[in-house]
């Protein structure tokens, strides 16, 4: 009775939900969560960030030839639908590395929507019992 859809608009999520993360949430698009200083906090296996060779603990210091900031990441993510990639300068240990993230979907956020043509099994499960 429900479908998973993606939207470019970030949903309003109460801070108490499991998905409310501190930092920059790109889980549904790039597949990771960044701290505001560019450190990769979490990463989904098989995601565009993972396929580009990135991992938790690495710090992005440059994005598309500019110094990293939360706004630059959001702007660069929006441009992926036009250019199909992000170029990241990353600090890992005592070395610097360039990584190209292949992704062309722009910002994406997962939503679960009700399908009126299907039976709502969740409503049945959650219904109070006598």
């Amino acid at each position: 009775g429900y479908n998973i859809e993606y939207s470019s608009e970030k949903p309003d999520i109460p801070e108490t939900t499991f998905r409310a993360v501190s930092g920059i949430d790109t889980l549904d698009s790039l597949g990771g969560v960044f701290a505001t200083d560019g450190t990769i906090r979490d990463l989904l296996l098989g995601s565009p960030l993972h396929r580009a060779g990135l991992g938790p603990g690495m710090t992005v210091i440059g994005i598309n030839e500019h110094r990293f900031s939360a706004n630059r990441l959001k702007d660069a993510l929006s441009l992926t639908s036009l250019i199909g990639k992000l170029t990241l300068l990353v600090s890992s240990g005592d070395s610097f590395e360039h990584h190209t993230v292949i992704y062309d979907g722009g910002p994406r956020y997962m939503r679960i929507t009700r399908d009126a043509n299907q039976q709502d099994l969740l409503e049945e499960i959650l219904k109070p019992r006598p």
Side-chain angles (χ1 to χ4, degrees):
Y2 291 85
N3 295 314
I4 294 176
E5 296 176 354
Y6 289 91
S7 170
S8 61
E9 297 296 320
K10 187 172 183 174
D12 291 327
I13 299 175
E15 291 299 318
T16 57
T17 64
F18 73 96
R19 194 53 200 275
V21 296
S22 59
I24 307 159
D25 179 355
T26 66
L27 283 170
D28 297 333
S29 52
L30 299 177
V33 176
F34 295 83
T36 54
D37 70 351
T39 301
I40 299 171
R41 293 175 137 178
D42 197 8
L43 195 73
L44 298 175
L45 296 177
S47 68
L49 291 173
H50 180 251
R51 288 192 306 268
L54 296 157
M58 294 177 156
T59 301
V60 178
I61 57 175
I63 185 163
N64 291 347
E65 307 302 324
H66 296 282
R67 183 176 305 278
F68 178 88
S69 72
N71 285 334
R72 284 213 173 106
L73 176 59
K74 291 173 187 175
D75 291 344
L77 186 54
S78 293
L79 287 174
T80 61
S81 57
L82 298 173
I83 61 176
K85 66 180 180 175
L86 297 171
T87 304
L88 304 177
L89 176 60
V90 177
S91 171
S92 180
D94 65 348
S95 63
F96 296 107
E97 306 168 358
H98 282 90
H99 292 263
T100 300
V101 180
I102 305 301
Y103 176 73
D104 64 0
R108 287 182 5 147
Y109 300 95
M110 183 173 55
R111 296 173 188 253
I112 298 174
T113 58
R114 175 79 180 94
D115 183 349
N117 296 322
Q118 300 291 323
Q119 181 182 4
D120 187 349
L121 296 176
L122 285 178
E123 183 179 3
E124 287 296 316
I125 292 169
L126 298 172
K127 195 181 282 184
R129 304 285 182 225

